[in-house]
Amino acid sequence: MRDPVTISTGITYDRDCIEKWLFTFKNFTCPVTKQLLIVNSSSCRSSNSSDDLSLMIIPNHTLRRLIQSWCTLHASDGVDRIPTPKQPSILTLSNISKLISNAKKSTQMRYTCLQKIRSFLSQSTSKMILESSGVFEYLASVLVEDDATRSEKDEALSIVAQMDGYDQEQRQKLIKIMIFNNGDDDGGNLLIHSLIRLLRSGSHSPSHQERENVMKVLRLVYSVADPTQMSNVKCGMFDEIVSIIRDRNSNQGIKNGLKLLIELNPWGRNRVKAVGSGAVQVVVELLLDDGDRRISELGLVVLDQLCGCAEGRADLVQHSAGLAVVSKKILRVSHIGSDRAVRVLSLVSRYVGTGKVVGEMMEVGVVAKLCLVMQVECSLKTKERAKEMLRLHSRVWKNSPCIPPHLISSYPSN
């Protein structure tokens, strides 16, 4: 043990082990005695019992000192003395509720309250307590409050963004709490509009981290949005997303922007709006320069979605490197990346297969790459798409000197 703690049954465990047992694996019993250690969060809320939720995990200082003494005695044998762990502040339902109550009474306490909430996030018990104490309703109120300062909104935003540590079901539950328990009768639109305002410079240019956090939270909000909201996303939203991807301030910011596009594109005319904001050009430039496999994979997924509309296909073929970079990514990113890249080329081949485009596909190596796909291990659907394209334009491509001799044998005969 490095940090022995005793729980309410009197049994001592290492802190990391018992917290993993309780909060990661959701086993709310003592491993030795099998006694129940915690009641469910709804009972905690109704009983307002801080002891139920805090679990009373108490450091066992006596045992820790004995362990440290033993380590010191055996230092000559290569045993390192364990450091004295820093004890976290005690977080209970009552003291977090008191914090929020004081902050609501006095706006001067707001920033201090948010900082303390953020400091609690490292504690394993924090997820359960924060969920039951009204914290997320309060954070939403700060984000939509007109008189909240920029620093207060930034602090609230950074806390909500850390919700990535929750599983999907928990995230959706908490976002619904933020929206519907905070008087947002517009189903989240008030929160969305507030987040978009944070992205826009005005007198205060948002930091890279702030923009990343906004993207994370927008993804969380849209994950619980209804179809009407998803279909009515404003063009300004796509302008902001594309701007973040274009700036390339961090890989995480790029990934969040691409993921948000992927969630929004399937709905209504969102693909057309994204194309109108320059999404195709930005993603092509990203694929040209970026070596991050995950970013390339996400970029190809976005291009596949955007090429589902005529405007997206037109933008891709008009870009001087569009077809070439998509072809280059086949067999270089992942199986998913290859599947998406071939789908993009298939859409272009089928719907924009003019003589000029077909000739460019041959010149930039698309045809040779499709022949290679026929030889290597790929999904059956990808091979079928490649074969369909090769057959469709066989009169132009089959006898082309652009196809290396070792690949021409893969060209389908009929």
Side-chain angles (χ1 to χ4, degrees):
M1 293 186 186
R2 300 183 64 83
D3 185 7
V5 294
T6 303
I7 61 174
S8 57
T9 57
I11 308 296
T12 297
Y13 301 94
D14 184 69
R15 182 185 293 275
D16 285 347
C17 295
I18 191 62
E19 288 186 346
K20 189 173 183 180
W21 168 266
L22 291 169
F23 305 114
T24 301
F25 298 113
K26 311 292 185 185
N27 296 312
F28 300 132
T29 57
C30 173
V32 172
T33 67
K34 309 304 180 186
Q35 286 180 258
L36 186 66
L37 298 173
I38 188 168
V39 296
N40 60 46
S41 59
S42 61
S43 297
C44 289
R45 177 173 284 195
S46 60
S47 66
N48 199 28
S49 168
S50 60
D51 288 345
D52 283 337
L53 206 53
S54 65
L55 292 175
M56 300 304 291
I57 295 177
I58 303 170
N60 189 329
H61 296 297
T62 302
L63 179 57
R64 190 248 309 151
R65 291 189 188 105
L66 286 171
I67 294 172
Q68 288 176 322
S69 298
W70 184 90
C71 291
T72 301
L73 287 173
H74 291 80
S76 58
D77 298 329
V79 177
D80 294 328
R81 184 180 184 274
I82 63 170
T84 301
K86 182 180 178 181
Q87 299 304 325
S89 304
I90 297 175
L91 174 63
T92 64
L93 188 61
S94 59
N95 60 30
I96 197 72
S97 297
K98 185 177 179 180
L99 262 179
I100 294 172
S101 176
N102 290 337
K104 286 180 178 179
K105 293 176 183 176
S106 170
T107 55
Q108 294 177 344
M109 289 290 296
R110 187 185 286 154
Y111 189 69
T112 302
C113 172
L114 292 168
Q115 284 185 314
K116 288 185 178 180
I117 292 172
R118 191 176 185 183
S119 70
F120 288 141
L121 291 176
S122 61
Q123 299 184 34
S124 299
T125 53
S126 67
K127 290 181 182 179
M128 209 170 299
I129 295 175
L130 295 180
E131 178 183 334
S132 303
S133 62
V135 162
F136 289 96
E137 295 98 317
Y138 178 66
L139 293 173
S141 71
V142 173
L143 289 172
V144 303
E145 186 65 55
D146 289 335
D147 69 351
T149 65
R150 191 80 188 206
S151 58
E152 290 167 350
K153 288 181 182 286
D154 290 351
E155 198 71 22
L157 192 66
S158 66
I159 297 170
V160 180
Q162 293 186 51
M163 212 184 288
D164 276 357
Y166 293 78
D167 60 41
Q168 183 177 1
E169 184 178 344
Q170 284 178 310
R171 288 198 301 267
Q172 291 184 343
K173 176 183 176 182
L174 294 176
I175 288 294
K176 287 179 180 178
I177 288 173
M178 286 180 64
I179 294 172
F180 300 110
N181 290 14
N182 195 52
D184 190 347
D185 298 329
D186 207 8
N189 281 330
L190 181 60
L191 182 57
I192 290 170
H193 294 156
S194 300
L195 293 169
I196 294 174
R197 282 199 300 271
L198 287 174
L199 285 176
R200 292 171 181 158
S201 306
S203 60
H204 174 93
S205 180
S207 66
H208 305 328
Q209 186 61 54
E210 184 181 351
R211 297 176 86 193
E212 286 182 24
N213 287 339
V214 171
M215 286 290 103
K216 284 183 183 178
V217 178
L218 280 170
R219 284 181 52 218
L220 292 171
V221 175
Y222 277 119
S223 71
V224 299
D226 59 50
T228 303
Q229 283 179 298
M230 299 294 281
S231 302
N232 293 321
V233 178
K234 303 297 183 184
C235 293
M237 169 71 81
F238 292 99
D239 292 340
E240 297 295 341
I241 298 171
V242 169
S243 174
I244 286 174
I245 298 172
R246 182 186 292 114
D247 291 347
R248 303 194 207 179
N249 290 316
S250 72
N251 281 358
Q252 193 57 50
I254 295 170
K255 289 174 185 176
N256 285 328
L258 292 171
K259 287 176 181 178
L260 187 51
L261 282 178
I262 289 169
E263 289 193 25
L264 296 177
N265 281 338
W267 297 89
R269 290 182 56 80
N270 287 348
R271 288 178 296 185
V272 176
K273 295 173 187 175
V275 172
S277 297
V280 172
Q281 295 93 327
V282 166
V283 173
V284 168
E285 298 294 334
L286 186 65
L287 293 175
L288 278 170
D289 299 335
D290 200 274
D292 186 292
R293 290 197 171 199
R294 181 57 179 158
I295 288 178
S296 294
E297 188 176 87
L298 292 170
L300 290 167
V301 173
V302 170
L303 278 185
D304 178 27
Q305 291 178 327
L306 298 180
C307 285
C309 67
E311 294 84 351
R313 295 189 291 270
D315 266 18
L316 181 67
V317 298
Q318 285 171 11
H319 196 292
S320 58
L323 295 174
V325 74
V326 173
S327 173
K328 183 181 178 181
K329 293 297 179 180
I330 297 175
L331 305 178
R332 288 194 176 190
V333 178
S334 64
H335 288 302
I336 293 175
S338 296
D339 291 346
R340 295 291 184 157
V342 171
R343 277 168 57 101
V344 169
L345 295 174
S346 175
L347 288 167
V348 170
S349 169
R350 186 182 308 164
Y351 298 112
V352 203
T354 63
K356 180 181 177 181
V357 171
V358 170
E360 182 183 349
M361 294 176 79
M362 183 170 56
E363 292 170 6
V364 300
V366 170
V367 185
K369 186 61 73 79
L370 292 176
C371 289
L372 183 59
V373 166
M374 300 298 296
Q375 290 187 356
V376 301
E377 184 178 349
C378 287
S379 71
L380 182 60
K381 194 67 177 176
T382 298
K383 285 183 179 290
E384 288 176 354
R385 286 196 179 97
K387 181 184 285 189
E388 179 187 2
M389 279 186 276
L390 291 171
R391 284 175 173 171
L392 183 62
H393 302 293
S394 61
R395 292 179 60 186
V396 180
W397 291 345
K398 190 167 186 179
N399 298 317
S400 170
C402 296
I403 307 177
H406 68 283
L407 294 178
I408 194 65
S409 60
S410 300
Y411 208 103
S413 57
N414 50 56

